[in-house]
Amino acid sequence: MNIDEDTSAWLGCPTPLEMYKHQCALLEDELIQTQAQVRKARANVAGLVQMNDALITGKTDAESALKLARSEISRLNLENSQMGRRINSLMAVCEQRDHLFRENQRLLLELKVFKGASA
């Protein structure tokens, strides 16, 4: 019996060259998948850059609108303050008019009473 005989071919075991070829095929498949993932990641990054640009533009527009709104609010507050002062002065004049009207009515009543007592 010959013990040194190579039995690897009997069991269907691959040769070293076949194993290297198989390993190369696995590495090629992995490289192709990695390249596809890199392309997809680059597309995602490009999309994110575009979204970021759009957001920056939107933020700039919103900041401009906010600045305009704040200036409008300041203008309206000033106008409201001025109107409040005018209203307060008109209320004071109205109170003076009412006081003078009541005083006039009181004096007219006293005059009637005085004329009625003299007659």
Side-chain angles (χ1 to χ4, degrees), residues 56 80 84 110 118:
I56 287 173
N80 185 33
E110 284 181 14
S118 318

Side-chain angles (χ1 to χ4, degrees), residues 10-117:
W10 294 358
L11 301 173
C13 291
T15 64
L17 180 60
E18 290 173 333
M19 287 192 305
Y20 288 134
K21 286 181 178 180
H22 180 67
Q23 184 66 27
C24 284
L26 290 174
L27 289 173
E28 284 177 22
D29 288 343
E30 189 174 327
L31 183 60
I32 289 169
Q33 289 175 357
T34 304
Q35 287 174 340
Q37 289 174 349
V38 167
R39 276 193 298 278
K40 185 177 178 183
R42 284 182 180 159
N44 286 343
V45 167
L48 290 173
V49 167
Q50 289 177 346
M51 288 171 62
N52 187 46
D53 290 343
L55 288 173
I56 287 173
T57 303
K59 180 182 174 230
T60 304
D61 293 344
E63 286 173 343
S64 298
L66 178 62
K67 187 176 179 181
L68 288 173
R70 283 183 175 167
S71 65
E72 180 70 9
I73 288 171
S74 295
R75 185 187 66 76
L76 290 173
N77 280 339
L78 177 63
E79 187 178 315
N80 185 33
S81 174
Q82 291 170 348
M83 290 291 244
R85 277 186 252 132
R86 285 185 204 148
I87 289 172
N88 285 339
S89 61
L90 289 174
M91 295 284 282
V93 168
C94 186
E95 286 177 20
Q96 291 172 358
R97 181 206 62 186
D98 291 344
H99 174 72
L100 291 174
F101 180 76
R102 285 190 300 273
E103 187 65 21
N104 189 20
Q105 293 299 315
R106 184 185 65 79
L107 290 173
L108 284 174
L109 185 62
E110 284 181 14
L111 186 60
K112 284 182 184 178
V113 169
F114 180 72
K115 284 185 179 180

